[in-house]
C-alpha cells in the first residue's frame, strides 16, 4: 500500500502538463524572463477573477502583506490586530514594517479571529486589522468592516489560504482595503515556485504598491522611496494563467472531499469536524479536525492518533503546533501562557487530513476508515 500524502502536486501537474510545458518553453525561447505581457495579463485576469480594479503581482504572500502595510504607511509606533493562530508570515510582515502585532484569540468553531473580541484590543495606536481566512474559511467580513469603519482602521485580508473563497457573495480580497494572496505551490492557486499578489479597488494604493515593489521607483532609475525587489517572474505568471482557469473546479473538488469526510467521519467519537460558516464559501485549503485530549497518557491524544495514522501510511499535518504569542521570537511582546486559551488549546488538538483536489474517493475512504480504527 502506498502512502496517502497530505498533498500531491505531481498528480495535478499531470493533468495540465501539456499546456504548462508549452507555455514555459515559449517563455524560455522568447528570452524575456522578467515582466512582459504574460505578467500583466495574469494580473488583469486575477483582478477580474477576484472582482477588483487592481492586482499587483509580487514575489510571495509574505511580500504581499508587507507591501500592503507599507502602502498604507503603517510603521513604527503603530499596532496591527491579527490572529495568533496563523502562519508566522501574517505577523512577521507587521514587524518588518516596524509596527507591532496585537493578537486576539480565535473562534473555536472556525479557527479564525474571534471578531467579537477585536474591539477590546483597539487602542489609539491601532492602524489596521489583518483578518486571516484560515484553511480556506472566510472571516465574517461584514463584522470586520463595521468595526474598521467605526474606528477608522484599514483592513488587509490575508487570503493566502483562501483564493476563491467568498463572504456574502464577494470574493475574499475584494472586501477589505487590500487583499494579500500567496501562490506558494500548496495554496489553492499555486505556482511552481514562489509568488504572490495584492488586490485592491484603490488605484492610488495599487500604484504605490507597484512603486514599492520596484525599488521605490515609478520612473526607471528615479527612486522616491526605499522599496524592495519583489517580482512574480514570467514563467510563474504563465503557469498561474493556466491554473487560474482550473481554480473553481479544483475548489469544488475540495468541497466534495470535505463533504465526503464529513459523511464518513460524523458518527465517530472523540473528534470534532470543521464546519463551513453560513454566509461564506469555504475553499478547504485544509481539512482540519480537532482531537480533544483524553488525559490518559502523557502524550497528546492528537499526537498518538497522528502516529497511528502514519503507521497506516496516512500522512497528516499539524497546522499549527504553537500559537504566535508563545513563539520564542515574540517573547518580547509580553504575552503570557493562558492569555489566548482557545488558540492554545486548539494547537494541541488540530490535525489536518490529506486534502487536495486529486485525492481519490478510495483514498478518502482509507483516511476515514483509518481514523476510525485509531479512535
Ligand atoms: C502561506 C501563507 C502566507 C505567506 O505566503 P508565502 O507566499 O509563503 O510568503 C501568509 N499567510 C498565511 C496565512 C499563509 O498560509
Amino acid at each position: 500500500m502506498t502512502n496517502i500524502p497530505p498533498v500531491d502536486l505531481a498528480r495535478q501537474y499531470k493533468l495540465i502538463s501539456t499546456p504548462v510545458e508549452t507555455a514555459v518553453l515559449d517563455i524560455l525561447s522568447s528570452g524575456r524572463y522578467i515582466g512582459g505581457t504574460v505578467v500583466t495579463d495574469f494580473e488583469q485576469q486575477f483582478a477580474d477573477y477576484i472582482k477588483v480594479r487592481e492586482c499587483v503581482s509580487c514575489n510571495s504572500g509574505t511580500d504581499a502583506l508587507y507591501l500592503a502595510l507599507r502602502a498604507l504607511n503603517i510603521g513604527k509606533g503603530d499596532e496591527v490586530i491579527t490572529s495568533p493562530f496563523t502562519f508566522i508570515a501574517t505577523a512577521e510582515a507587521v514587524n518588518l514594517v516596524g509596527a507591532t502585532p496585537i493578537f486576539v484569540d480565535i473562534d473555536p468553531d472556525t479557527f479564525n479571529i474571534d471578531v467579537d473580541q477585536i474591539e477590546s484590543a483597539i487602542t489609539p495606536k491601532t492602524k489596521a486589522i489583518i483578518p486571516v481566512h484560515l484553511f480556506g474559511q472566510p472571516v465574517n467580513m461584514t463584522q470586520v468592516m463595521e468595526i474598521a469603519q467605526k474606528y477608522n482602521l484599514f483592513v488587509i485580508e490575508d487570503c493566502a489560504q483562501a483564493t476563491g473563497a467568498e463572504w456574502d457573495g464577494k470574493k475574499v480580497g475584494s472586501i477589505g482595503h487590500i487583499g494579500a494572496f500567496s501562490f506558494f505551490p500548496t495554496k489553492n492557486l499555486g505556482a511552481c515556485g514562489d509568488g504572490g499578489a495584492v488586490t485592491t479597488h484603490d488605484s492610488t494604493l495599487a500604484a504605490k504598491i507597484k512603486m514599492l515593489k520596484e525599488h521605490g521607483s515609478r520612473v526607471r532609475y528615479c527612486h522616491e522611496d526605499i522599496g524592495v525587489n519583489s517580482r512574480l517572474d514570467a514563467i510563474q505568471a504563465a503557469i498561474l494563467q493556466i491554473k487560474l482557469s482550473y481554480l473553481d473546479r479544483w475548489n469544488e473538488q475540495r468541497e466534495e472531499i470535505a463533504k465526503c469526510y464529513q459523511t464518513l467521519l460524523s458518527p465517530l467519537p472523540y473528534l470534532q469536524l470543521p464546519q463551513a460558516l453560513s454566509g461564506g464559501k469555504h475553499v478547504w485549503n485544509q481539512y482540519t479536525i480537532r482531537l480533544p485530549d483524553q488525559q490518559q497518557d502523557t502524550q497528546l491524544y492528537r499526537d498518538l492518533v497522528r502516529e497511528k495514522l502514519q503507521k497506516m501510511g496516512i500522512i497528516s499535518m499539524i497546522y499549527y503546533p504553537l500559537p504566535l504569542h508563545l513563539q520564542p521570537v515574540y517573547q518580547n511582546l509580553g504575552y503570557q501562557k493562558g492569555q489566548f486559551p482557545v488558540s492554545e488549546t486548539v494547537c494541541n488538538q488540530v490535525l489536518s487530513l490529506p486534502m487536495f483536489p486529486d485525492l481519490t474517493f478510495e483514498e478518502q475512504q482509507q483516511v476515514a476508515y483509518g481514523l476510525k480504527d485509531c479512535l
Side-chain angles (χ1 to χ4, degrees):
M1 194 176 73
T2 52
N3 278 4
I4 304 179
V7 48
D8 183 353
L9 297 168
R11 285 192 215 176
Q12 185 181 70
Y13 179 65
K14 267 194 202 146
L15 291 173
I16 53 169
S17 61
T18 308
V20 165
E21 282 166 20
T22 306
V24 170
L25 289 175
D26 274 354
I27 289 171
L28 288 177
S29 50
S30 79
R32 177 131 203 217
Y33 309 131
I34 298 286
T37 52
V38 64
V39 177
T40 50
D41 285 351
F42 170 70
E43 288 175 333
Q44 188 55 56
Q45 287 163 16
F46 195 69
D48 292 345
Y49 178 80
I50 301 296
K51 294 197 171 68
V52 283
R53 192 179 305 162
E54 305 281 352
C55 165
V56 182
S57 62
C58 61
N59 184 250
S60 67
T62 309
D63 276 8
L65 289 162
Y66 168 83
L67 290 164
L69 290 158
R70 282 285 311 273
L72 296 170
N73 285 325
I74 292 167
K76 206 167 183 303
D78 296 335
E79 294 178 351
V80 177
I81 292 172
T82 194
S83 165
F85 187 63
T86 174
F87 182 54
I88 183 76
T90 313
E92 194 177 36
V94 174
N95 293 98
L96 284 174
V97 300
T100 306
I102 301 293
F103 299 117
V104 166
D105 209 359
I106 59 166
D107 175 323
D109 294 325
T110 62
F111 302 120
N112 281 333
I113 192 166
D114 182 351
V115 181
D116 293 329
Q117 293 190 47
I118 291 178
E119 276 194 86
S120 59
I122 294 173
T123 74
K125 291 180 178 172
T126 310
K127 287 284 154 40
I129 307 168
I130 306 183
V132 183
H133 307 296
L134 201 75
F135 304 149
Q137 169 106 276
V139 174
N140 182 332
M141 288 304 293
T142 315
Q143 260 182 297
V144 171
M145 295 315 287
E146 270 168 23
I147 296 166
Q149 241 150 27
K150 184 169 163 192
Y151 293 92
N152 202 19
L153 305 175
F154 292 116
V155 175
I156 300 168
E157 295 178 71
D158 184 338
C159 306
Q161 299 183 10
T163 307
E166 294 174 12
W167 177 258
D168 193 22
K170 295 187 195 79
K171 287 258 165 18
V172 301
S174 73
I175 308 166
H177 299 86
I178 300 185
F181 289 84
S182 166
F183 304 130
F184 183 79
T186 61
K187 311 290 169 143
N188 293 48
L189 176 63
C192 299
D194 276 307
V198 179
T199 54
T200 181
H201 296 292
D202 185 330
S203 298
T204 311
L205 271 180
K208 188 159 180 200
I209 290 162
K210 194 162 182 298
M211 176 272 286
L212 288 167
K213 74 158 221 182
E214 288 170 357
H215 298 286
S217 71
R218 288 177 214 263
V219 177
R220 200 176 253 189
Y221 304 123
C222 173
H223 305 276
E224 60 184 87
D225 205 336
I226 296 297
V228 291
N229 168 8
S230 187
R231 292 186 278 250
L232 180 71
D233 70 67
I235 287 177
Q236 299 308 333
I239 295 169
L240 286 166
Q241 277 193 34
I242 294 163
K243 285 190 157 196
L244 182 58
S245 64
Y246 288 86
L247 179 61
D248 284 340
R249 198 180 318 166
W250 286 336
N251 280 344
E252 272 167 38
Q253 287 173 310
R254 287 176 184 273
E255 193 174 356
E256 288 303 316
I257 296 166
K259 278 188 190 147
C260 176
Y261 276 150
Q262 168 84 27
T263 309
L264 295 173
L265 295 173
S266 54
L268 294 186
Y270 311 118
L271 112 171
Q272 291 170 28
L273 300 179
Q275 303 292 338
L277 212 64
S278 67
K281 178 183 158 62
H282 194 319
V283 291
W284 303 100
N285 183 251
Q286 298 296 336
Y287 188 89
T288 303
I289 62 169
R290 282 176 65 183
L291 294 158
D293 210 22
Q294 304 302 313
Q295 316 275 341
Q296 291 158 345
D297 212 300
T298 47
Q299 199 183 14
L300 285 173
Y301 184 59
R302 184 267 320 273
D303 293 343
L304 213 66
V305 171
R306 186 178 188 222
E307 278 174 18
K308 280 194 186 171
L309 284 173
Q310 191 144 5
K311 287 198 185 109
M312 298 177 190
I314 299 164
I315 315 301
S316 57
M317 302 296 282
I318 298 172
Y319 302 121
Y320 296 91
L322 189 66
L324 298 189
H325 68 288
L326 301 180
Q327 291 287 348
V329 68
Y330 284 136
Q331 287 323 288
N332 63 330
L333 294 179
Y335 290 107
Q336 307 298 319
K337 203 167 178 180
Q339 196 160 351
F340 301 120
V342 180
S343 300
E344 291 169 33
T345 303
V346 153
C347 282
N348 290 334
Q349 298 182 346
V350 283
L351 196 66
S352 297
L353 302 182
M355 168 56 88
F356 52 98
D358 318 283
L359 191 71
T360 66
F361 181 61
E362 288 69 33
E363 288 172 320
Q364 295 163 42
Q365 283 180 315
Q366 229 173 298
V367 171
Y369 299 149
L371 192 56
K372 201 177 214 165
D373 282 348
C374 295
L375 310 174

